[in-house]
Amino acid sequence: MHLYEFTALQIKEKIKSGETLAQEVIKELLDRIKVKDPDIGSYLSINENALSKACAIDDKIKSGQTVGALAGIPIAIKDNICTLDLKTTCGSKVLSSFLSPYNAHVVECIEKEDGIIIGKTNLDEFGMGSTTEHSGFKVTRNPWDLQRIPGGSSGGAAASVAADISFLSLGSDTGGSVRQPASFCGVVGLKPTYGRISRYGLVAFASSLDQIGLISKDVADTALLLQVICGYDNRDSTSLQKDVPKYIEQLDSIEKKFKIGVPKEFFANGLNEEISKSVNEALDVFKKNGAEIVEMSLPHTEFGVAAYYIISAAEASSNLARYDGVRYGYRTQNCKNIIDMYERSRSESFGNEVKRRIIMGNYVLSTGYYDAYYLKASKVRTLIKNDFDKAFEKVDYIISPTTPVPAYKVGEKVSDPLEMYLLDTYTIPANLAGIPGISIPCGFTNNGLPIGMQIMGRHYNEQGLLQVARKFESETDFHKIKPKFNAT
Amino acid sequence: MEFDVVIGLETHVELHTDTKLFCGCSSKFGSEPNTQTCPVCLALPGALPVMNRIAFNYALKAALALNCKINNLTHFDRKGYYYPDLPKNFQISQNYNNLGTDGFIDLIMEGQNKRVTLHNVHLEEDAGKLLHPEESNADYSFVDFNRAGIPLLEIVSNPDIQSVEEAEAYMQTLRSILHYINISDCKMQEGSLRFEASISLKESGVTELGNRVEIKNLNSVRSVIKSIEYEINRQSNVLNQGGVIHRETRLWDDKNQKSERMRSKEESQDYRYFPEPDLVPVIIEKSLLGDERASIPELPMCRLKRFMENYKLSFYDANILIQDIFIADYFDECTKDYHEPKAISNWIINEVLRYLNENKINISGFNIRPKMLTELIKLVEDGVISKAAAKSVFMEMALRGTNANVIVEEKGLVQISNTNELESIVADIIKENEKVVTDFKNGKKNAIGFLVGKIMQKTKGKANPKVVNEMLENMIKQ
Ligand SMILES: [Zn+2]
């Protein structure tokens, strides 16, 4: 077995025990990235200092010093999370040479616990897109079928974990951008409760929906990384002042009896039959293990996508206003005056999907339209939140497919943004409600494409999600199956 | 045609907190450009705002002092517009749920009770500053972000102001209230207090208002006054010639004392306000409200009334005393020791304020503490020293911080009020000036002044003139 095939937790134990050197892991991984990533396109930059950091950790271990919880684990970071050592491009030409003068909160946490940033991964520009076709630099491909999209916007993060060219990845999830690509790539993707992980240093797309998420080979690895990066940070006003449970220690201490709600709106028209079948089989696994399964309703689900695209576009149009070429980032070569400079700089550097959202966002916030769009969408958001609050009075978890369809082909729907927006139908509600959601592998289509199941829980109950997901893993082998691409 | 004028004023006040509103950068004035900046106030990707609690409490205190209704849940909104001095290209401000609404200010004006109502009071961040190069054809400008993010309080009045005099009184009253609650330096020359005026005219007796014209770039109370006068004139002329006033924004040119059109209503901006998602709503607890309310001192208008009623001071004198809270406190302190408010007021207005002004010092650094001043005044009123001597004692006290009686003793300034001591001198003078005495006896009343002068000469100015006068009259009559 190659080192890259192990999980993050396993590789950490090997390094800590001295069985393997951190530098060996890094060397092997860097070699593999060189060989495999050209086909996938998951990385935008590679950390040149990774090896020397690994050597430093090896020295620490050799000299008997204690090492952090992530000792020697190579971790890939989505390129909309600020790093001091590597460019932070957000997949945009606007920031193609942008070097942040500070580390994001999560990067600080990882480095403090001796994790090694291996590189920065590709994304749809500023996180806007569900396929990673909308990066300003390159398309990322799905390791299960190179003709297909890996999902998005954290496509690079998910594909790299699936292809065994990273052990763990950080992504961001505004409407499903972690869970959906995790589902398409057959890996685990967690979006924690809004506010659970500080957004300080996460480049904003839609501030009230953005949450840093995790992508890993199995549930234990997610627990390992979550433990390190979550918790209160006074630099993010929306950060939660809540105690952090011991995720790994309690991974298997699941309550004997729990109730799973199955919302009928998530199994309605438009859901691929193979996916429906897989998820239902997964529910049977829980049933066999003593869980109570109840049918239920989240009546406002159908308005979720519309509300989401109004709110996220509104916030995005404002968040992206700062990219004006005045202080940093792309500035046009020739312009007549300041207005002309703004117009040219922004027109020449933003991609079409981003422009579409900026236009949409400015429209819904305009005088005369604000009430009809933004305010209405905010009300819908409250209704969706209330749906969940009511549901969680009766059930402990809600299970649904992560996506209505499996990964489609690169370029297939690039000219139809509406079709792309519907990919996030099942993941968007958790962002609107601020609740945690996890996607785990639960089957394959006849074409051999991964199918993901989404588990949603009450606010702050990441622990419960991890335990339920872990339970499923312990009963099934889907998470252990690797794409053929990995072997060749 | 006769017109009534209707004026509204928008005031921006920089709060004098140590740090900015949403980051930890210093808010000190006058540092090297861009030395007080960080990822947050430069709007770098990924940076997030965190509200400065002290600034918020200052704003809350101001809203209370301005008689506002306080929203117990308030939040910030983003106000979007593109300008190079605005790093995020939106300003974090308040629009939908302002901190304070429906306040008012009672103007300090002689013989008038004028109340100006306030639409709202809210908290927002300041923008940076553009620095334009000297050469006229330069194709660049610099921008300094030191000011970007400094907490600003915006006070929006309703169009209740009906004359230039009221506008002036509004500005002065507001300024002294802000001064009293100690939340701002209120220095117009450093931009910590700024005004924008909106002016419309209406035909006398008609209720409908004319179109509103906004005036920006007003850097002193004087320029506000001048721009309003200019605008009243301009609009009257247009209307009298049958023209129409368009809703527009004009820029005041202080050098040429006139305003120029900046943009029309059609060009006016859509700020696309929406709630700031990076900040959480602020819940104002009852206890905080109580604390802030308790920290507000007696405000200028109350003090003015008290000074006039309790101490029988004139409006003019009381208004001078209340301008600066520390002067007003000083006056109050003096009256505790000595119950001659008019004498104290005269001394403060004529001597203390002049001295502070000439020497450019604050009352807090003034050597003569209230008790010392009242002792000096007592010496004069009791006739121990002359008024002329008291002024030199005052100067000496201000320089050295020494008590009056010490200086009086040192310099031998005690007046001779003892009649026994003066008797022989007075008798001598009467003898030596028989002709003058006769004149006096014959009804030439001023003649006595000559005799007093002679006695003062002989006593080197130490004789108490009041006593001498009385003695002369008595002895001549005998
Ligand atoms: Zn700053």
Side-chain angles (χ1 to χ4, degrees):
Chain A
M1 200 166 163
H2 298 283
L3 288 174
Y4 59 76
E5 291 176 89
F6 289 99
T7 67
L9 200 58
Q10 289 166 339
I11 212 75
K12 181 191 103 172
E13 291 310 324
K14 279 179 185 294
I15 292 169
K16 261 183 127 173
S17 67
E19 188 190 332
T20 306
L21 290 175
Q23 51 193 292
E24 289 171 345
V25 177
I26 294 290
K27 269 186 210 149
E28 195 185 293
L29 193 64
L30 287 173
D31 285 347
R32 183 168 163 80
I33 290 169
K34 223 170 261 166
V35 176
K36 297 300 244 183
D37 199 46
D39 288 336
I40 303 288
S42 55
Y43 283 98
L44 288 175
S45 58
I46 297 294
N47 187 1
E48 304 296 337
N49 300 322
L51 194 58
S52 65
K53 290 205 170 171
C55 292
I57 289 161
D58 287 336
D59 288 345
K60 257 184 166 179
I61 293 169
K62 230 180 276 168
S63 65
Q65 293 175 57
T66 48
V67 285
L70 302 176
I73 303 174
I75 298 169
I77 308 287
K78 189 178 181 180
D79 210 18
N80 61 350
I81 295 174
C82 290
T83 45
L84 204 50
D85 300 337
L86 292 167
K87 283 189 294 184
T88 301
T89 69
C90 297
S92 177
K93 290 199 178 97
V94 177
L95 295 175
S96 59
S97 55
F98 180 73
L99 205 52
S100 171
Y102 71 98
N103 271 329
H105 174 78
V106 285
V107 173
E108 284 177 0
C109 292
I110 287 171
E111 295 199 328
K112 206 172 133 239
E113 291 297 329
D114 293 327
I116 297 172
I117 308 298
I118 188 77
K120 304 289 289 285
T121 58
N122 197 20
L123 65 154
D124 290 300
E125 187 175 2
F126 287 102
M128 294 178 207
S130 308
T131 64
T132 319
E133 294 167 291
H134 302 280
S135 163
F137 303 112
K138 61 182 178 189
V139 170
T140 300
R141 290 167 186 275
N142 192 322
W144 293 90
D145 179 350
L146 296 181
Q147 300 307 307
R148 290 180 189 268
I149 55 161
S153 63
S154 310
S160 66
V161 172
D164 282 339
I165 49 177
S166 79
F167 284 86
L168 271 171
S169 286
L170 277 189
S172 64
D173 190 316
T174 306
S177 284
V178 157
R179 289 159 290 157
Q180 182 255 51
S183 154
F184 283 174
C185 292
V187 289
V188 174
L190 170 72
K191 179 203 91 78
T193 309
Y194 182 76
R196 191 51 124 170
I197 299 172
S198 167
R199 291 183 292 121
Y200 193 79
L202 167 66
V203 181
F205 156 16
S207 313
S208 74
L209 299 156
D210 292 343
Q211 179 57 200
I212 287 175
L214 305 81
I215 293 174
S216 64
K217 296 178 181 181
D218 67 11
V219 174
D221 279 5
T222 284
L224 173 73
L225 182 54
L226 180 65
Q227 193 80 60
V228 170
I229 61 174
C230 76
Y232 178 66
D233 173 25
N234 63 10
R235 294 171 297 184
D236 174 0
S237 306
T238 62
S239 177
L240 291 171
Q241 280 176 295
K242 281 258 170 198
D243 289 342
V244 174
K246 299 231 177 300
Y247 296 118
I248 302 177
E249 284 172 31
Q250 292 171 20
L251 206 49
D252 292 312
S253 341
I254 191 166
E255 287 170 62
K256 270 259 151 3
K257 281 194 177 282
F258 56 92
K259 239 188 222 180
I260 293 173
V262 182
K264 60 173 192 252
E265 291 81 4
F266 286 60
F267 291 82
N269 285 345
L271 174 60
N272 172 292
E273 271 177 37
E274 291 174 86
I275 294 179
S276 176
K277 190 166 155 270
S278 280
V279 175
N280 276 309
E281 283 167 9
L283 288 168
D284 287 341
V285 172
F286 285 117
K287 206 189 243 167
K288 252 179 249 155
N289 282 279
E292 188 185 339
I293 313 287
V294 285
E295 268 221 31
M296 43 139 346
S297 170
L298 293 165
H300 297 95
T301 302
E302 64 169 310
F303 308 114
V305 173
Y308 170 82
Y309 276 94
I310 290 169
I311 293 168
S312 65
E315 292 181 9
S317 70
S318 167
N319 282 330
L320 269 59
R322 69 187 60 191
Y323 306 108
D324 57 7
V326 172
R327 286 146 294 123
Y328 55 83
Y330 179 87
R331 185 192 287 185
T332 188
Q333 289 302 303
N334 42 42
C335 53
K336 296 195 288 278
N337 53 42
I338 185 72
I339 302 291
D340 195 38
M341 185 181 113
Y342 288 151
E343 284 178 3
R344 284 175 192 261
S345 298
R346 290 167 66 81
S347 302
E348 289 164 16
S349 59
F350 283 135
N352 283 341
E353 186 56 33
V354 168
K355 284 178 187 164
R356 187 149 40 226
R357 312 251 184 144
I358 291 174
I359 292 168
M360 200 153 75
N362 280 319
Y363 178 79
V364 299
L365 289 176
S366 301
T367 305
Y369 297 95
Y370 179 83
D371 289 2
Y373 292 101
Y374 184 84
L375 216 56
K376 191 70 150 256
S378 302
K379 284 176 185 161
V380 169
R381 184 177 189 172
T382 305
L383 292 174
I384 287 173
K385 252 184 224 169
N386 294 345
D387 279 358
F388 279 104
D389 286 347
K390 264 183 230 156
F392 284 125
E393 285 169 14
K394 294 188 190 117
V395 302
D396 300 303
Y397 303 98
I398 292 171
I399 286 183
S400 77
T402 306
T403 62
V405 291
Y408 53 69
K409 290 205 166 132
V410 172
E412 197 181 325
K413 285 169 181 170
V414 78
S415 59
D416 189 352
L418 264 182
E419 196 69 30
M420 176 176 82
Y421 295 169
L422 291 174
L423 283 182
D424 297 329
T425 307
Y426 300 153
T427 45
I428 279 170
N431 296 82
L432 290 171
I435 58 171
I438 192 169
S439 176
I440 55 172
C442 74
F444 291 90
T445 64
N446 294 335
N447 285 339
L449 295 173
I451 294 170
M453 159 174 68
Q454 175 177 233
I455 311 167
M456 292 175 279
R458 296 186 183 101
H459 282 101
Y460 327 122
N461 193 18
E462 288 79 13
Q463 177 166 255
L465 291 192
L466 293 172
Q467 289 169 341
V468 171
R470 168 80 160 191
K471 183 78 201 164
F472 185 77
E473 257 184 10
S474 68
E475 301 291 324
T476 57
D477 281 331
F478 299 114
H479 64 288
K480 289 182 187 152
I481 301 167
K482 302 272 179 170
K484 287 199 193 89
F485 169 85
N486 288 17
T488 56
Chain B
M1 217 185 294
E2 277 295 300
F3 298 103
D4 292 340
V5 61
V6 176
I7 303 163
L9 285 171
E10 268 181 38
T11 312
H12 284 98
V13 191
E14 275 185 2
L15 304 179
H16 65 196
T17 49
D18 292 338
T19 55
K20 294 185 179 182
L21 184 50
F22 297 116
C23 63
C25 290
S26 165
S27 53
K28 205 174 108 220
F29 178 80
S31 302
E32 282 294 301
N34 296 314
T35 53
Q36 289 165 192
T37 56
C38 72
V40 176
C41 58
L42 287 175
L44 294 192
L48 294 170
V50 175
M51 188 189 73
N52 178 342
R53 264 275 161 193
I54 295 171
F56 184 83
N57 291 351
Y58 277 8
L60 177 58
K61 189 171 171 180
L64 287 168
L66 297 171
N67 309 296
C68 288
K69 281 186 203 148
I70 305 296
N71 275 310
N72 52 16
L73 190 135
T74 179
H75 65 77
F76 291 94
D77 301 300
R78 291 184 179 180
K79 176 182 182 177
Y81 64 94
Y82 281 77
Y83 206 68
D85 67 4
L86 191 65
K88 299 184 289 292
N89 286 316
F90 63 79
Q91 179 192 30
I92 303 180
S93 179
Q94 298 193 288
N95 182 57
Y96 295 113
N97 228 328
N98 290 306
L99 170 60
T101 54
D102 303 318
F104 63 84
I105 300 177
D106 286 329
L107 304 190
I108 295 178
M109 293 179 87
E110 185 163 17
Q112 284 188 57
N113 291 318
K114 171 72 187 188
R115 175 167 290 186
V116 175
T117 61
L118 304 177
H119 185 269
N120 75 74
V121 170
H122 66 259
L123 184 57
E124 62 186 25
E125 57 180 342
D126 208 348
K129 224 182 215 163
L130 288 185
L131 308 167
H132 300 291
E134 302 271 325
E135 65 261 48
S136 56
N137 57 346
D139 60 352
Y140 63 91
S141 290
F142 295 115
V143 52
D144 174 8
F145 291 107
N146 282 352
R147 201 178 69 180
I150 286 183
L152 271 188
L153 186 72
E154 184 171 342
I155 300 154
V156 184
S157 91
N158 285 317
D160 288 352
I161 300 165
Q162 287 162 310
S163 68
V164 174
E165 293 71 33
E166 287 181 7
E168 190 167 9
Y170 176 88
M171 290 186 279
Q172 256 146 21
T173 308
L174 176 58
R175 191 180 186 156
S176 56
I177 293 171
L178 297 170
H179 199 86
Y180 268 51
I181 59 175
N182 192 23
I183 58 162
S184 173
D185 300 329
C186 293
K187 287 182 186 157
M188 281 193 92
Q189 66 278 15
E190 289 182 9
S192 60
L193 183 66
R194 317 198 281 267
F195 293 99
E196 281 171 31
S198 66
I199 299 144
S200 53
L201 297 188
K202 59 173 185 147
E203 252 178 79
S204 294
V206 173
T207 46
E208 201 178 329
L209 277 180
N211 274 326
R212 194 175 72 196
V213 174
E214 284 172 48
I215 320 252
K216 288 182 187 281
N217 196 35
L218 305 172
N219 297 317
S220 64
V221 170
R222 213 186 115 76
S223 58
V224 178
I225 302 297
K226 288 287 159 196
S227 72
I228 294 174
E229 282 170 351
Y230 176 89
E231 188 59 21
I232 293 172
N233 246 322
R234 188 188 72 83
Q235 291 192 23
S236 306
N237 286 339
V238 171
L239 293 171
N240 277 327
Q241 285 162 22
V244 183
I245 298 298
H246 296 284
R247 192 167 163 188
E248 61 185 13
T249 302
R250 300 177 70 86
L251 214 55
W252 177 248
D253 174 354
D254 214 33
K255 209 165 113 200
N256 297 306
Q257 295 284 297
K258 61 184 182 126
S259 63
E260 299 265 11
R261 195 174 116 175
M262 191 172 117
R263 59 172 178 251
S264 69
K265 189 199 166 200
E266 289 70 36
E267 299 161 273
S268 83
Q269 314 220 7
D270 184 349
Y271 292 121
R272 301 182 309 275
Y273 281 104
F274 76 102
E276 166 57 273
D278 283 328
L279 291 165
V280 287
V282 190
I283 297 160
I284 301 172
E285 307 282 355
K286 276 222 171 80
S287 62
L288 175 66
L289 212 54
D291 289 351
E292 288 306 323
R293 196 167 265 141
S295 74
I296 297 172
E298 184 187 23
L299 291 174
M301 182 58 114
C302 286
R303 274 215 165 167
L304 179 91
K305 284 190 175 154
R306 183 164 60 83
F307 285 4
M308 288 172 70
E309 282 163 23
N310 293 8
Y311 301 134
K312 307 289 175 238
L313 297 183
S314 67
F315 174 88
Y316 182 85
D317 287 351
N319 193 24
I320 293 175
L321 291 175
I322 59 140
Q323 288 299 314
D324 181 326
I325 188 171
F326 300 109
I327 302 290
D329 285 347
Y330 187 94
F331 172 78
D332 264 335
E333 199 59 36
C334 288
T335 58
K336 279 185 196 159
D337 299 320
Y338 188 54
H339 306 289
E340 288 295 339
K342 182 64 194 163
I344 295 167
S345 158
N346 286 343
W347 268 91
I348 292 176
I349 292 171
N350 296 325
E351 303 303 327
V352 177
L353 292 181
R354 189 182 48 81
Y355 184 88
L356 297 180
N357 250 330
E358 280 172 6
N359 294 284
K360 297 200 166 45
I361 54 172
N362 289 326
I363 189 93
S364 58
F366 185 48
N367 274 334
I368 306 179
R369 303 318 308 154
K371 211 173 184 102
M372 294 161 68
L373 183 71
T374 50
E375 276 167 14
L376 175 64
I377 301 172
K378 266 186 230 170
L379 290 176
V380 180
E381 301 286 319
D382 294 350
V384 177
I385 56 172
S386 69
K387 221 172 206 154
K391 287 192 182 172
S392 68
V393 174
F394 175 88
M395 292 304 285
E396 200 71 21
M397 289 168 76
L399 280 173
R400 290 164 49 194
T402 316
N403 283 338
N405 49 12
V406 176
I407 295 167
V408 168
E409 199 126 305
E410 260 179 34
K411 302 207 158 187
L413 292 173
V414 177
Q415 292 189 122
I416 308 170
S417 306
N418 187 323
T419 46
N420 292 336
E421 250 175 84
L422 290 170
E423 209 172 290
S424 64
I425 301 170
V426 176
D428 285 353
I429 292 294
I430 291 174
K431 234 181 264 167
E432 286 163 19
N433 296 282
E434 272 178 23
K435 190 180 172 299
V436 184
V437 172
T438 319
D439 285 352
F440 177 74
K441 280 181 175 166
N442 291 338
K444 200 174 168 193
K445 288 283 169 207
N446 335 345
I448 202 161
F450 176 81
L451 298 172
V452 174
K454 285 280 173 194
I455 293 164
M456 293 308 277
Q457 239 171 35
K458 214 160 197 176
T459 59
K460 292 185 181 125
K462 284 191 204 165
N464 183 335
K466 215 171 129 205
V467 176
V468 169
N469 246 307
E470 281 166 17
M471 287 175 72
L472 275 170
E473 282 191 33
N474 288 335
M475 288 167 75
I476 291 170
K477 269 182 215 158
Q478 281 164 8

